[in-house]
Amino acid sequence: AFIAFDQVLPHDNHIMLYDQGMDAYSPRRLTLMTELKQSLHNNELELYFQPQVDLKTNKVIGLEALARWTHPEFGFVPPDEFIPIAERTGQIRALTSWVIKSALAFNSQLRSANIDINMSVNVSAEDLNDTSFPGQVAIMLEESQVLAQNLTLEVTETAAMRNPEVAVNALTALSKLGVRISIDDFGSGYSSLTYLRRLPAHEVKIDRSFVLEAHQSSDAETIIRTIINMSHELGFKVVGEGVENQAMVALLKTRGCDYGQGYYFARPLPENQVVDWLEQY
Ligand code: C2E
Ligand code: MG
Ligand code: MG
Ligand code: MG
């Protein structure tokens, strides 16, 4: 390990030690680091929306907003690449605010077309770390005139565990606004049942790796069944992520999973295709 570039960039005031294996400072990455800031102003970022379906009624209940960056030189840059960059260069707070505002604006646009639907937005550990975040969310709800209950904030299990005290405080404040809280990629981290119980959450999303393997691995199926039963006992709704085929739908339904999301229903859609998709579905 050697001392890396990150120390000259704002990162929680820590000095980062970093492993050679990470390929973190390739020329491409350095370019993305410096150009992410402009991307917001240059309209290179946009939101796609992926439907979430109630497995009992087959009704669409929500849309998850997923950020997309089309870079002028590199083309499509996946969020798994640029979100960590935003997190490590102090830009995620601005990005999250933009995503929430845009998702709420789209929600009120849909409501004018008589489409009443939940909006889910992903937030990072850094957002929860900012004590002004819940207040900012309250203002964005106020300005957009969207009811808090129509907004779900997704935080990954791993992010919620990074600093449990901070996460519990932030999620409690957000819950008090009436916003729904969802624990994303659940099962991929190492949190205990006791910890999940402490989180003021409303929903758990089963990590898609388990859904993917469920039909061929009895372990994965056991994990899914356990997550669903445990979540229901704790009063959480459960979403199965990465639902790609009818067999996965059937398995989740049999196990009592509430909602499904995945390519089987729809890929993430650009904003201008959402209404058409909803009408055809
Ligand atoms: P996530 O929140 O767990 O989002 C689900 C990811 O799974 C999305 O990838 C989605 O396109 C993909 N997916 C959905 N259905 C299927 C399926 O049936 N099969 C497969 N193989 N994949 C499926 P995407 O859009 O590339 O986003 C990756 C991750 O990047 C997200 O995972 C989330 O953690 C993060 N992300 C995306 N947008 C934002 C954002 O606006 N803010 C933050 N903080 N993170 C974001
Ligand atoms: Mg998510
Ligand atoms: Mg997920
Ligand atoms: Mg994920």
Side-chain angles (χ1 to χ4, degrees):
F2 57 92
I3 295 179
F5 212 100
D6 259 354
Q7 59 183 289
V8 300
L9 296 161
H11 184 271
D12 301 347
N13 303 321
H14 303 149
I15 289 178
M16 289 286 298
L17 289 178
Y18 142 85
D19 272 328
Q20 299 148 340
M22 282 172 70
D23 181 35
Y25 297 97
S26 63
R28 172 179 165 115
R29 191 173 154 107
L30 289 169
T31 308
L32 295 179
M33 279 169 103
T34 51
E35 293 184 0
L36 183 58
K37 191 166 184 177
Q38 299 140 242
S39 71
L40 260 178
H41 304 288
N42 296 350
N43 290 323
E44 291 164 21
L45 287 187
E46 67 184 313
L47 290 184
Y48 273 48
F49 296 90
Q50 188 176 36
Q52 301 173 324
V53 173
D54 185 322
L55 296 175
K56 291 188 190 78
T57 63
N58 280 325
K59 287 210 171 93
V60 181
I61 48 114
L63 296 170
E64 179 176 7
L66 294 159
R68 297 285 178 263
W69 183 7
T70 308
H71 185 273
E73 183 189 340
F74 301 132
F76 177 75
V77 182
D80 283 330
E81 186 175 5
F82 71 82
I83 295 292
I85 294 178
E87 290 172 346
R88 295 176 65 162
T89 57
Q91 302 182 70
I92 192 69
R93 291 291 304 104
L95 194 146
T96 301
S97 291
W98 175 81
V99 176
I100 295 176
K101 274 186 201 156
S102 310
L104 292 176
F106 187 45
N107 184 275
S108 30
Q109 196 185 314
L110 290 173
R111 193 160 23 96
S112 324
N114 276 320
I115 299 168
D116 189 15
I117 206 164
N118 180 270
M119 208 51 84
S120 292
V121 171
N122 295 285
V123 303
S124 295
E126 281 76 4
D127 297 307
L128 303 183
N129 245 322
D130 177 355
T131 51
S132 71
F133 180 59
Q136 291 176 30
V137 172
I139 292 169
M140 292 187 277
L141 286 165
E142 181 72 37
E143 285 175 352
S144 64
Q145 294 287 304
V146 172
L147 295 177
Q149 71 205 41
N150 290 337
L151 176 65
T152 298
L153 296 178
E154 299 189 359
V155 54
T156 62
E157 177 195 11
T158 313
M161 273 182 64
R162 218 171 76 179
N163 190 336
E165 218 58 54
V166 166
V168 169
N169 288 339
L171 297 180
T172 303
L174 290 162
S175 284
K176 281 187 182 149
L177 299 177
V179 167
R180 295 179 76 248
I181 305 297
S182 177
I183 308 302
D184 205 349
D185 300 349
F186 189 79
S188 62
Y190 299 93
S191 57
S192 70
L193 246 172
T194 321
Y195 179 57
L196 187 62
R197 234 189 76 224
R198 283 181 56 205
L199 290 177
H202 306 82
E203 179 181 281
V204 164
K205 296 184 86 171
I206 306 173
D207 191 66
R208 76 164 184 264
S209 59
F210 302 117
V211 178
L212 189 69
E213 282 176 37
H215 66 288
Q216 54 189 31
S217 145
S218 62
D219 285 352
E221 197 184 342
T222 304
I223 291 169
I224 287 182
R225 187 161 25 91
T226 308
I227 294 176
I228 293 171
N229 292 342
M230 173 192 81
S231 301
H232 282 161
E233 299 239 353
L234 294 173
F236 302 141
K237 295 286 188 189
V238 186
V239 184
E241 295 193 302
V243 177
E244 294 188 356
N245 53 50
Q246 176 58 46
M248 293 179 186
V249 176
L251 186 136
L252 290 170
K253 263 183 158 166
T254 309
R255 297 303 177 199
C257 187
D258 303 285
Y259 312 124
Q261 181 181 345
Y263 297 168
Y264 173 74
F265 299 107
R267 295 203 168 234
L269 304 159
E271 192 175 303
N272 64 9
Q273 288 179 22
V274 170
V275 172
D276 280 351
W277 184 88
L278 288 169
E279 278 168 3
Q280 278 169 30
Y281 175 78

